[in-house]
Amino acid sequence: MSHYLLIFLLPVSSLLALHRWGKSLTEKELDSRNPCMEFIAVLNTKLPKMELKLPIYKAHSPQIGMRRYFIDLLAVLSNRCNLCPTARHLAVYLLDVFMDHYDISVKQLYVISIACLLLASKFEEKEDRVPKLEHLNNLVYMYSVNVVLNKKDLLRMELLLLENFNWNLCLPTPAHYIDYYLFASVGENDLHNGWPITSLTKVKPFMEKYAYYFLDFSVQDHTFLLFRPSLIAAACVCASRICMQISPAWTTQLELLTSYSWEHLAQCIEMMLIYYENDVKEASNVKKQVTIQHQQQVMENLSHQTTTQVLFQQSSYHPLAQHSATFSQFQSPVQDLCSAYRDSLQAQRPSSLLAGSANSSLCSYAALQASLQPSAQTLPIQTPTAMQVAMGTEPRHCISMAYGSSYFSGQHSYAAGCFDS
């Protein structure tokens, strides 16, 4: 009983410090019968009493339409500063309550938001993890926020916040309960898709990710402030079990631990699952758009590569190779004919031909015919046939042979294939 009396006699500011100390204990230490478990059990009964003293949120802020933007800003800054979830949720709660009581300009909201984050980090984190002013200014500049923070303004805002909360920042949030509830989130008697769970150590990390996923959802909509923080944390665990298809959705052990039945959690769970379904649909649509864009980009790259390859590739058709047997029998006579023609020009070129005499030209032409006639008679077939085969087997390059009849047909006229029948 002395342990219980010690906890109830502690000041309120020390209770959450004990809670954070209790979260650092291992599961084996929690399962054993020792004073540590008794401290945490009594602490779990003290925090719900502190919830009853929390300020009532009325959603009367004139700037409530900008709430989502500043909540996202706090989430981004806390993630970049590696702050714990309890510091982030406490900062959001401080901002919500302060906005609900005052009409604040947009420029002042930036300073107040960061002041809430600093106060929450000083209360929840160790001293060396509290963000520095220079680091915060760099982060704010990175996210294109046209605000330059200075030490004097931040101190003035911190004092204003502390006075508004009567110098008491020991305010329970769902993040203060979630780790305590996660220890009993999965049991040995639970079923997954109707089958026993073979390894609890493999399931619990996924359960933790789902629970913190829903926990982050709870700060995005101000309507969740109508529920008690402990109920929101319990609903996060139950919604996680539903998404992971663990049955039953809510066990007797969890009901005894949280003091909430299924009926108490139904409305909050329904809101979380609606947000979850919308988030899944949005992610699916984004994935489809990315896939379509990727497919279009791939098709464009393939079409560009195909065009480049066809325009500059070497012809795979070799007409001379196909007709080598036929052309080989004419190759030697044609060479003989050309040699005789060159010899006749060199041997019988008279000097009068250079002078331009007509008679000498006729004589030289007659001599040329006489010199050509014997070589032409040695051909095994007629000369016109040999020349026809030689001209027919000469390769010609046509774009239409490579592309087909549809390419460039709308803009250019071109010949048909080289060897179209």
Side-chain angles (χ1 to χ4, degrees):
M1 292 296 294
S2 59
H3 296 151
Y4 295 94
L5 291 176
L6 176 62
I7 286 185
F8 281 107
L9 291 176
L10 284 174
V12 177
S13 59
S14 302
L15 291 177
L16 289 181
L18 279 175
H19 175 74
R20 292 192 297 273
W21 167 73
K23 290 194 303 181
S24 63
L25 297 176
T26 62
E27 187 174 0
K28 183 178 180 180
E29 292 172 335
L30 289 174
D31 290 339
S32 60
R33 287 291 181 178
N34 53 30
C36 299
M37 189 61 185
E38 296 179 5
F39 274 113
I40 297 174
V42 175
L43 184 63
N44 190 43
T45 60
K46 185 68 175 179
L47 285 178
K49 295 180 179 179
M50 296 169 59
E51 289 182 341
L52 301 177
K53 300 179 181 180
L54 291 175
I56 298 176
Y57 183 76
K58 300 179 181 179
H60 289 169
S61 174
Q63 292 80 23
I64 196 171
M66 300 189 65
R67 177 188 179 275
R68 177 66 181 272
Y69 170 78
F70 286 99
I71 298 304
D72 292 340
L73 178 63
L74 288 177
V76 170
L77 293 177
S78 63
N79 288 333
R80 294 300 298 267
C81 296
N82 296 322
L83 299 180
C84 61
T86 53
R88 180 171 65 251
H89 281 258
L90 180 58
V92 171
Y93 184 75
L94 295 176
L95 180 62
D96 281 330
V97 176
F98 194 81
M99 287 178 60
D100 199 37
H101 291 167
Y102 299 97
D103 185 3
I104 312 168
S105 64
V106 176
K107 187 174 182 179
Q108 289 178 335
L109 273 176
Y110 283 103
V111 183
I112 292 174
S113 300
I114 298 175
C116 291
L117 186 65
L118 282 174
L119 279 179
S121 62
K122 291 175 182 178
F123 188 78
E124 295 288 344
E125 294 281 3
K126 296 180 180 179
E127 184 177 358
D128 56 345
R129 296 182 63 88
V130 176
K132 301 297 186 290
L133 180 60
E134 182 179 359
H135 184 45
L136 288 175
N137 274 323
N138 291 334
L139 292 177
V140 169
Y141 177 78
M142 286 175 56
Y143 293 101
S144 302
V145 177
N146 191 19
V147 174
V148 179
L149 304 173
N150 57 72
K151 187 175 181 180
K152 183 178 179 181
D153 291 340
L154 285 177
L155 288 176
R156 187 171 66 250
M157 287 298 175
E158 287 181 356
L159 289 174
L160 182 62
L161 287 168
L162 289 171
E163 291 177 358
N164 183 76
F165 289 96
N166 296 323
W167 294 80
N168 177 26
L169 296 184
C170 189
L171 306 171
T173 65
H176 292 99
Y177 290 92
I178 193 68
D179 287 327
Y180 181 63
Y181 292 165
L182 281 174
F183 282 117
S185 59
V186 184
E188 297 178 353
N189 298 326
D190 293 335
L191 301 177
H192 179 255
N193 288 328
W195 293 89
I197 298 176
T198 56
S199 177
L200 294 179
T201 57
K202 294 182 179 180
V203 175
K204 285 188 175 182
F206 292 99
M207 176 66 66
E208 183 177 353
K209 290 182 179 180
Y210 266 104
Y212 276 97
Y213 169 80
F214 286 111
L215 194 67
D216 291 336
F217 260 136
S218 65
V219 298
Q220 295 180 6
D221 193 344
H222 64 88
T223 54
F224 282 99
L225 291 171
L226 301 176
F227 302 103
R228 297 174 63 177
S230 57
L231 187 144
I232 295 174
C236 290
V237 174
C238 186
S240 301
R241 290 174 62 91
I242 293 174
C243 292
M244 293 181 64
Q245 299 180 0
I246 297 177
S247 59
W250 195 243
T251 62
T252 305
Q253 183 181 4
L254 285 170
E255 184 174 348
L256 294 174
L257 179 66
T258 62
S259 302
Y260 292 113
S261 63
W262 170 263
E263 289 75 16
H264 294 116
L265 304 175
Q267 185 180 0
C268 187
I269 293 173
E270 184 179 1
M271 292 175 58
M272 290 182 176
L273 294 179
I274 291 174
Y275 275 98
Y276 173 73
E277 291 177 0
N278 294 336
D279 193 36
V280 170
K281 291 179 181 178
E282 183 178 356
S284 178
N285 293 334
V286 172
K287 184 178 180 180
K288 289 181 181 178
Q289 293 178 0
V290 172
T291 303
I292 292 174
Q293 292 177 358
H294 178 68
Q295 291 177 352
Q296 292 177 352
Q297 185 178 2
V298 170
M299 294 300 295
E300 291 177 359
N301 293 337
L302 288 177
S303 62
H304 177 71
Q305 293 176 2
T306 305
T307 304
T308 306
Q309 291 175 1
V310 173
L311 284 175
F312 297 100
Q313 70 180 355
Q314 295 181 353
S315 177
S316 61
Y317 187 78
H318 301 283
L320 295 180
Q322 294 185 2
H323 298 274
S324 60
T326 306
F327 185 69
S328 62
Q329 59 181 334
F330 305 109
Q331 187 174 3
S332 180
V334 172
Q335 289 180 351
D336 294 340
L337 179 62
C338 295
S339 300
Y341 178 75
R342 287 194 300 270
D343 294 339
S344 64
L345 289 177
Q346 296 176 359
Q348 301 184 11
R349 181 180 298 173
S351 59
S352 59
L353 183 63
L354 298 175
S357 174
N359 294 330
S360 60
S361 299
L362 291 175
C363 293
S364 62
Y365 179 72
L368 176 62
Q369 280 186 336
S371 63
L372 288 176
Q373 187 174 0
S375 299
Q377 289 178 357
T378 59
L379 291 173
I381 63 174
Q382 297 179 0
T383 304
T385 307
M387 297 301 295
Q388 182 179 359
V389 174
M391 295 298 294
T393 56
E394 181 181 357
R396 289 178 293 168
H397 300 283
C398 294
I399 296 180
S400 61
M401 180 180 68
Y403 280 97
S405 59
S406 63
Y407 196 78
F408 292 148
S409 59
Q411 300 178 359
H412 304 279
S413 59
Y414 56 90
C418 295
F419 299 97
D420 295 345
S421 56

